Amino acid sequence: MESTIWEILSIIGTIAFAVSGALVAIEEDFDVLGIFTLGFLTAFGGGTIRNLLIGLPMTALWSQQLEFYTALVAILLLIIFPQLVFRHWKKAELWTDALGLAAFSIQGALHAQNLHQPLSAVIVAAVLTGAGGGVVRDVLAGRKPIILRSEIYAGWAILAALLIYFHIVTSDLGYFGLVIALTVLRMYGYWKNWHLPKVTWVEREDKDD
């Protein structure tokens, strides 16, 4: 059953991030090749970074044929029927990013936990898998990575890691519920403009005694 959950989360995250990357590419006026490139790199970037970190061979990426074809179809549909999201372009971009973050964060945490990794590794796996594709997308699109500036972005991946590591969420239904909860929290944080504390420089004028 765990393999089924893994595959479902992988497909959800792949579709969401493929569309997210394609939307950013269209917004940045990329050509068709650029749209496919950014869509695929966003969809598979996080998992690739995670695999390299934990020592899985690159051949693990080439075995994801189902995910590849689902990403291909999702990007093709967006290119052929852009009017599907035309009226709600920005919302579609935000929702797909939030859904991809949620699904891949849980998948990354589960993967590290199944390898009996410590809490630190589970958190790193969740963050890199959940946010890695978005970082690749933003860097290639010439944007400041959203993980470094927007809301409590990586915090939701850390929350997923903690809930899974401490066995607070353990069932299949619980994992799907967590996907929904993290997606909604990510969007709610965006709407409410939640942010982690920032450090600002305060210039002091030297006064002569």
Side-chain angles (χ1 to χ4, degrees):
M1 183 61 69
E2 286 187 358
S3 61
T4 302
I5 292 298
W6 172 272
E7 292 172 0
I8 294 175
L9 289 173
S10 182
I11 291 173
I12 292 173
T14 298
I15 293 174
F17 267 155
V19 173
S20 175
L23 285 170
V24 170
I26 294 173
E27 187 177 351
E28 296 294 333
D29 200 28
F30 284 23
D31 61 19
V32 173
L33 178 59
I35 294 171
F36 276 109
T37 300
L38 198 60
F40 278 113
L41 288 175
T42 305
F44 296 100
T48 301
I49 295 172
R50 178 205 61 216
N51 290 351
L52 291 173
L53 183 69
I54 63 179
L56 287 179
M58 283 299 296
T59 53
L61 176 64
W62 314 131
S63 64
Q64 296 178 293
Q65 294 187 14
L66 178 59
E67 288 83 352
F68 176 85
Y69 289 123
T70 54
L72 177 65
V73 171
I75 297 171
L76 271 175
L77 288 175
L78 183 61
I79 292 174
I80 297 172
F81 304 107
Q83 64 272 18
L84 293 175
V85 295
F86 180 76
R87 293 184 178 179
H88 305 285
W89 197 268
K90 190 62 178 178
K91 287 184 178 179
E93 185 179 320
L94 291 169
W95 276 105
T96 52
D97 180 80
L99 182 59
L101 171 69
F104 275 158
S105 295
I106 296 169
Q107 188 201 48
L110 285 172
H111 188 67
Q113 186 188 55
N114 289 339
L115 294 175
H116 306 291
Q117 297 295 317
L119 176 60
S120 57
V122 175
I123 291 176
V124 170
V127 172
L128 289 181
T129 309
V135 171
V136 173
R137 174 199 64 209
D138 293 339
V139 170
L140 291 179
R143 299 180 174 185
K144 184 184 296 184
I146 194 172
I147 188 176
L148 302 179
R149 61 179 173 82
S150 180
E151 311 95 43
I152 315 175
Y153 194 84
W156 304 125
I158 295 173
L159 176 60
L162 294 173
L163 292 175
I164 290 172
Y165 181 81
F166 290 108
H167 303 288
I168 297 173
V169 178
T170 57
S171 66
D172 298 346
L173 184 60
Y175 296 136
F176 291 125
L178 187 56
V179 169
I180 296 172
L182 292 176
T183 302
V184 172
L185 284 171
R186 159 78 173 98
M187 294 304 300
Y188 188 76
Y190 174 81
W191 290 326
K192 292 296 183 179
N193 199 28
W194 287 349
H195 287 278
L196 292 174
K198 296 181 179 180
V199 176
T200 57
W201 291 105
V202 178
E203 294 186 2
R204 299 174 58 185
E205 295 182 359
D206 294 333
K207 296 181 179 180
D208 295 332
D209 294 336

